[in-house]
């Protein structure tokens, strides 16, 4: 487990210490320095009870021992088990104090002849402790469970592990990473949709691109946050860390939109992770994670060249007419988007920057009803399954048109991965609008634990890449797919700041697109 993974686990902890990533930021803005002191773990143990006994019955001194509020079996056993730790502030440590340096679960510790002194604890846990050396950079400050621990399992039974944080006192950037185009004006976004991560002692089948090849040269990672295995995963926090760990390891900023398998509580974890640009959004706007990010010109310029909008698309709602049915984009979200997009336009005009190409994109998880419009013309990719989204149309698409959005990306329908356009609208004078409306693009499912076929047709997992070229007002997209070496379905969406059109002939499999009212 890498140091960054350990540090990423921290924000999901039940202790109070926090730390930034040890990686070097890609931002051109120098961080300001804040020195943080951390509590460190001096000992740990496990109390095991029958299900009928309250953990309050533990005989440990509550003034010394602190219970980690996460049941180790995740309520999957007739027993309950709780991890207890003792803590000390680093500035109060003496040379005789013992600190926990490592933890092992369900596996034998290294050979005693190696010079390490391991101590046994209940439940098949071993801890390595050593005297305080004057530094705490290798001491354990956090132990976080990734799945049921299967305490006291047989040696040949695969068991889950504790995620261990080895905390270092590091400088922490008080300002978030600034998104900037490269010197050539390009900016790449990797859209990863429907990862459906799981946890547990099994062969890993829930991730695309384990080597992180699609993350290379990315300036921003955008996650469609339907990352959990439908509704039956017991430890959503660990799945969350599993998704973002390879991104944080590569020091890449990331943003997230929520969808139908997500909870508001996850935002409190996400927004505090290293390289996270996630925000809960204004309180008066419904949902979690309604925010926008600006992509700036190369440093030291503060000129915004692109705006990226992220919206919560809510989840499934009960309906006697449509099954399934989903909550639409709310009016408060639409109003907020319009206010921001109009303010951005006025700012460009005021500063005399209106001659620059404005390349704005919007992202959400569940598709708008327009993705199922019978007049939709698919220019690239495939629509292999009917669009599944809200049946009530709150007309957020109309707001995207008024806001000057070039493209809208979504996920949710795993085997759809098309980019399409609606026909140009007719104005009151009978003429067509000056340019086509925004592109509507699916990302395609990337995770191996979610469904990956429709009508018995298997689809390769994939991720969508977006590349802005602000020097020429261009936007193109393509996909990276399992087993494919080259780019898949590359398509120019915007040229010279104008959405490319008119729509061409519909492609194969567009018959799955259905009309919704």
């Amino acid at each position: 487990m890498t140091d960054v993974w350990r540090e990423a686990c921290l924000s999901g902890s039940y202790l109070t210490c926090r730390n930034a990533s040890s990686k070097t930021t890609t931002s051109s803005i120098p961080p300001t320095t804040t020195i943080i002191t951390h509590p460190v773990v001096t000992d740990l143990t496990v109390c095991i009870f029958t299900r009928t006994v309250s953990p309050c019955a533990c005989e440990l001194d509550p003034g010394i021992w602190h219970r980690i509020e996460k049941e180790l079996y995740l309520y999957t056993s007739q027993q309950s088990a709780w991890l207890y730790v003792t803590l000390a502030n680093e500035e109060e440590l003496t040379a005789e104090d013992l600190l926990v340096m490592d933890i092992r679960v369900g596996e034998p510790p290294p050979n005693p002849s190696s010079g390490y002194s391991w101590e046994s604890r209940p439940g098949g846990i071993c801890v390595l402790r050593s005297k305080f050396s004057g530094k705490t950079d290798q001491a354990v400050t956090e132990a976080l469970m990734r799945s049921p621990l299967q305490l006291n399992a047989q040696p040949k039974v695969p068991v889950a592990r504790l995620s261990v944080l080895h905390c270092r006192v590091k400088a922490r950037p008080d300002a978030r990473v600034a998104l900037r185009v490269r010197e050539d004006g390009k900016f790449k976004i990797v859209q990863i949709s429907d990862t459906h991560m799981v946890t547990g002692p099994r062969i890993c089948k829930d991730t695309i691109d384990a080597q992180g090849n699609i993350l290379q040269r990315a300036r921003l990672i955008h996650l469609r946050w339907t990352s959990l295995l439908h509704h039956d995963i017991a430890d959503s926090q660990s799945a969350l860390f599993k998704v973002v760990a390879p991104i944080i390891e590569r020091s890449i900023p990331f943003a997230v939109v929520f969808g139908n398998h997500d909870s508001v509580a996850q935002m409190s974890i996400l927004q505090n992770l290293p390289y996270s640009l996630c925000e809960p959004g204004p309180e008066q706007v419904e949902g979690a994670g309604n925010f926008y990010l600006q992509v700036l010109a190369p440093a030291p310029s503060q000129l915004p060249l692109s705006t990226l909008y992220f919206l919560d698309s809510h989840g499934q709602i009960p309906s006697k007419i449509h099954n399934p049915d989903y909550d639409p984009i709310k009016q408060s979200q639409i109003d907020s988007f319009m206010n921001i997009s109009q303010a951005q336009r006025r700012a460009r005009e005021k500063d005399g920057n209106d001659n620059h190409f404005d390349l704005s994109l919007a992202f959400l998880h569940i598709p708008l009803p327009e993705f199922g419009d019978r007049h939709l013309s698919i220019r690239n990719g495939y629509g292999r399954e009917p669009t599944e989204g809200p049946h009530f149309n709150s007309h957020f698409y109309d707001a995207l048109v008024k806001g000057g959005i070039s493209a809208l990306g979504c996920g949710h329908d795993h085997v759809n991965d098309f980019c399409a356009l609606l026909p140009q609208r007719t104005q009151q004078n009978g003429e067509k609008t000056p340019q086509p409306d925004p592109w509507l693009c699916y990302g395609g499912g990337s995770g191996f634990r979610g469904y990956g076929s429709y009508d018995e047709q298997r689809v390769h997992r994939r991720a969508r890449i977006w590349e802005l070229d602000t020097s020429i007002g261009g936007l193109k997209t393509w996909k990276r797919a399992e087993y494919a070496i080259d780019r898949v379905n590359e398509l120019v969406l915007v040229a010279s700041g104008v959405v490319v059109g008119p729509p061409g002939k519909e492609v194969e499999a567009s018959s799955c697109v259905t009309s919704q009212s």
Side-chain angles (χ1 to χ4, degrees), residues 182-242:
R182 300 185 319 206
E183 291 297 330
D184 61 2
K186 293 184 179 181
F187 185 88
K188 186 184 292 183
I189 303 168
V190 177
Q191 173 187 332
I192 303 175
S193 303
D194 299 280
T195 56
H196 284 264
M197 291 293 188
V198 297
T199 57
R202 59 173 68 88
I203 298 175
C204 181
K205 295 181 179 180
D206 59 3
T207 184
I208 183 173
D209 187 31
Q211 287 73 40
N213 294 326
I214 63 171
L215 305 180
Q216 294 178 3
R217 302 181 70 180
R219 308 288 283 186
L220 175 69
I221 304 296
H222 171 231
L223 297 171
R224 296 284 189 271
W225 200 247
T226 313
S227 61
L228 311 184
L229 179 58
H230 298 293
H231 312 287
D232 60 356
I233 184 169
D235 191 1
S236 61
Q237 291 172 332
S238 295
L240 183 156
F241 298 140
K242 195 174 180 182

Side-chain angles (χ1 to χ4, degrees), residues 188-195 208 214-215 218 220-224 255 257 361-365 408-412 416 419 441-446 462-466 477-480:
K188 186 184 292 183
I189 303 168
V190 177
Q191 173 187 332
I192 303 175
S193 303
D194 299 280
T195 56
I208 183 173
I214 63 171
L215 305 180
L220 175 69
I221 304 296
H222 171 231
L223 297 171
R224 296 284 189 271
V257 292
L361 289 79
F363 298 99
L364 45 77
H365 178 67
L408 170 67
C410 78
H412 187 60
N416 289 344
C419 279
C441 294
Y442 274 106
S446 65
R462 56 240 181 268
R464 178 169 295 281
I465 315 297
W466 306 79
T477 186
W478 63 90
K479 295 186 290 288
R480 289 293 187 183

Side-chain angles (χ1 to χ4, degrees), residues 131-187:
K131 290 184 178 181
F132 176 52
S133 63
K135 296 182 179 180
T136 61
D137 58 347
Q138 294 300 319
V140 171
T141 58
E142 174 63 26
L144 179 68
M145 185 178 51
R146 297 175 63 179
S147 62
L149 283 183
Q150 298 180 243
L151 300 174
N152 295 315
Q154 295 299 315
K156 294 185 179 181
V157 176
V159 295
R161 304 288 183 260
L162 284 174
S163 295
V164 177
L165 172 69
H166 292 258
C167 201
R168 293 178 173 88
V169 181
K170 290 288 184 179
R172 181 178 63 188
D174 291 335
R176 291 194 172 187
V177 174
L179 299 178
R180 295 187 180 277
V181 300
R182 300 185 319 206
E183 291 297 330
D184 61 2
K186 293 184 179 181
F187 185 88

Side-chain angles (χ1 to χ4, degrees), residues 4 7-11 19-22 177 244 247-248 252-254 269-277:
V4 175
E7 289 172 328
C9 289
L10 179 58
S11 290
N19 194 12
S21 170
S22 61
V177 174
V244 301
I247 301 171
I248 294 172
I252 304 174
F254 66 94
I269 298 175
L270 282 166
Q271 68 184 106
N272 291 307
L273 289 175
Y275 301 103
S276 170
L277 300 177

Side-chain angles (χ1 to χ4, degrees), residues 279-301:
E279 298 178 12
E283 292 183 3
Q284 68 272 19
V285 179
E286 294 167 89
N290 298 293
F291 62 99
Y292 71 97
L293 302 172
Q294 288 187 309
V295 181
L296 306 180
S301 174

Side-chain angles (χ1 to χ4, degrees), residues 4-5 45 76 93 121 128 131 208 217 227-228 262 294 320 327 369 441 456 466 484 504:
V4 175
W5 171 253
T45 190
T76 61
L93 295 173
R121 295 292 184 269
L128 174 64
K131 290 184 178 181
I208 183 173
R217 302 181 70 180
S227 61
L228 311 184
D262 310 307
Q294 288 187 309
K320 295 182 180 180
D327 237 355
C441 294
E456 299 182 355
W466 306 79

Side-chain angles (χ1 to χ4, degrees), residues 315-330:
Q316 193 168 338
I317 58 175
S319 174
K320 295 182 180 180
I321 302 175
H322 304 288
N323 186 24
D325 199 2
Y326 296 85
D327 237 355
I329 298 295
K330 305 296 185 179

Side-chain angles (χ1 to χ4, degrees), residues 336-416:
S336 176
F337 166 79
M338 288 302 301
N339 291 337
I340 295 169
S341 61
Q342 291 172 1
Q344 298 293 333
R345 179 175 298 174
R346 289 192 299 268
R348 290 194 301 271
E349 295 171 350
K350 179 181 178 181
D351 297 337
N353 297 324
D354 204 34
N355 292 330
H356 289 276
F357 298 113
D358 177 46
L359 298 173
S360 295
L361 289 79
F363 298 99
L364 45 77
H365 178 67
I366 299 173
L368 299 179
E370 283 76 11
F371 277 82
D373 192 294
R374 65 178 181 273
H375 300 298
L376 197 68
S377 177
I378 296 178
R379 296 294 306 281
N380 185 297
Y382 298 92
R384 298 180 177 90
E385 62 176 315
T387 295
E388 187 178 283
H391 284 79
F392 175 78
N393 194 335
S394 60
H395 300 288
F396 179 54
Y397 178 83
D398 297 336
L400 295 174
V401 175
K402 295 177 182 177
I405 297 299
S406 300
L408 170 67
C410 78
H412 187 60
D413 299 329
H414 296 192
V415 299
N416 289 344

